[in-house]
Amino acid sequence: MAKNYEVLYFFSLVFQKKRANPKNINTMSLEKIKSLRERTGLGIADIKKALEEAEGNEEKAIEILRKKGLKKALKKSEKNTQEGTIASYIHSNNQVGAIVKLLCETDFVARNEEFKTLASDIAMHIVAMNPRYLRVEDVPEKIIEAEKEIWLDQLKAEKKPAEIIPKIIFGKELKFKQEISLLSQSFVKNPEQTVENLIAEKIAKMGENIRVGSFWRTEL
């Protein structure tokens, strides 16, 4: 029923454009709406608003939709996740593999092929990028302290001015945490977004909270 409504809404947009400007029927705009719907899976109304805000630029519209998706994801993050799936990935050399538990709210989404694909993609990412922790907050302080000693020795050897060392150390610490934490890593199949942003997009698209419950990686 929802899909039928969207189809009717889509054609109502065509009719409205014809009435508003019959000499400039924007087939191009309608094609962009169709294209973005195929690329994002989001609703026509949201796509139309994003295109209008982006003045017809598809890539800008996608960025706007991503930001809106992140806002929706924040609202969804408080909801319970009691369903989900377990996915695994083993490298072709049979020397390294990973298992991930991806959680959602309902069995309906857990059985969705796109949700299963997301879990498989995250498992593959774990094999490729070898994250040690889920979030940056999970990185133990003792590991950071050990790294700080190494960085400090390096900076002293490079004769960096004492007044800028704390700022450099802060930047190194942040980068180090992000590089070893799953959610803050650049997604292996699309380095322009993080794993966390990828999950947020799926939350916006599927309308449910999605989160990584746990993961495990091993290699010979």
Side-chain angles (χ1 to χ4, degrees):
M1 192 70 176
K3 287 184 178 179
N4 291 337
Y5 174 79
E6 287 205 336
V7 170
L8 290 172
Y9 180 79
F10 180 78
F11 282 109
S12 75
L13 291 178
V14 179
F15 182 69
Q16 288 171 20
K17 282 186 174 290
K18 283 181 177 178
R19 289 186 63 186
N21 195 353
K23 293 183 180 179
N24 187 24
I25 175 75
N26 244 317
T27 308
M28 182 71 72
S29 295
L30 297 175
E31 285 299 319
K32 285 180 180 178
I33 291 172
K34 183 181 177 184
S35 170
L36 286 181
R37 176 147 172 74
E38 289 172 354
R39 290 172 67 181
T40 67
L42 297 175
I44 291 173
D46 289 335
I47 291 170
K48 182 174 179 288
K49 286 178 184 176
L51 274 171
E52 287 172 353
E53 192 174 333
E55 297 180 346
N57 186 302
E58 284 192 50
E59 297 309 315
K60 285 183 180 178
I62 285 177
E63 189 60 32
I64 290 166
L65 289 167
R66 277 182 177 168
K67 288 177 181 177
K68 288 181 178 178
L70 287 172
K71 289 178 183 177
K72 288 182 182 178
L74 288 173
K75 292 178 183 178
K76 292 280 182 183
S77 64
E78 297 178 359
K79 294 192 174 182
N80 291 331
T81 48
Q82 299 175 334
E83 300 291 339
T85 190
I86 293 175
S88 63
Y89 181 85
I90 299 175
H91 192 272
S92 57
N93 64 8
N94 292 319
Q95 300 280 306
V96 57
I99 294 175
V100 62
K101 179 165 69 174
L102 191 66
L103 301 172
C104 59
E105 296 174 44
T106 65
D107 183 55
F108 176 77
V109 167
R111 289 184 279 108
N112 183 290
E113 286 304 317
E114 189 167 359
F115 179 81
K116 292 178 182 178
T117 299
L118 173 63
S120 296
D121 282 346
I122 293 174
M124 181 185 67
H125 173 95
I126 292 166
V127 167
M129 302 305 291
N130 192 20
R132 294 164 60 187
Y133 304 96
L134 180 59
R135 305 176 186 83
V136 293
E137 309 93 81
D138 299 334
V139 181
E141 192 58 35
K142 63 180 181 180
I143 290 178
I144 299 300
E145 291 303 319
E147 292 295 325
K148 280 183 178 178
E149 289 182 15
I150 297 171
W151 299 330
L152 192 55
D153 289 342
Q154 289 173 343
L155 293 172
K156 285 179 178 178
E158 294 170 7
K159 297 183 179 179
K160 296 289 184 183
E163 63 272 17
I164 68 168
I165 286 179
K167 184 176 180 180
I168 295 174
I169 293 290
F170 176 81
K172 284 180 174 291
E173 178 182 342
L174 181 61
K175 184 179 179 183
F176 176 74
K177 286 181 175 179
Q178 290 173 338
E179 287 177 346
I180 64 173
S181 302
L182 174 62
L183 294 180
S184 57
Q185 287 181 333
S186 294
F187 179 45
V188 69
K189 291 175 75 173
N190 180 12
E192 293 184 1
Q193 67 177 165
T194 64
V195 173
E196 186 171 29
N197 286 342
L198 170 67
I199 293 172
E201 282 187 359
K202 300 302 180 183
I203 290 172
K205 184 174 180 180
M206 298 183 196
E208 283 196 13
N209 187 20
I210 298 169
R211 68 181 181 88
V212 176
S214 59
F215 66 91
W216 178 74
R217 182 185 187 275
T218 187
E219 64 180 305
L220 294 176

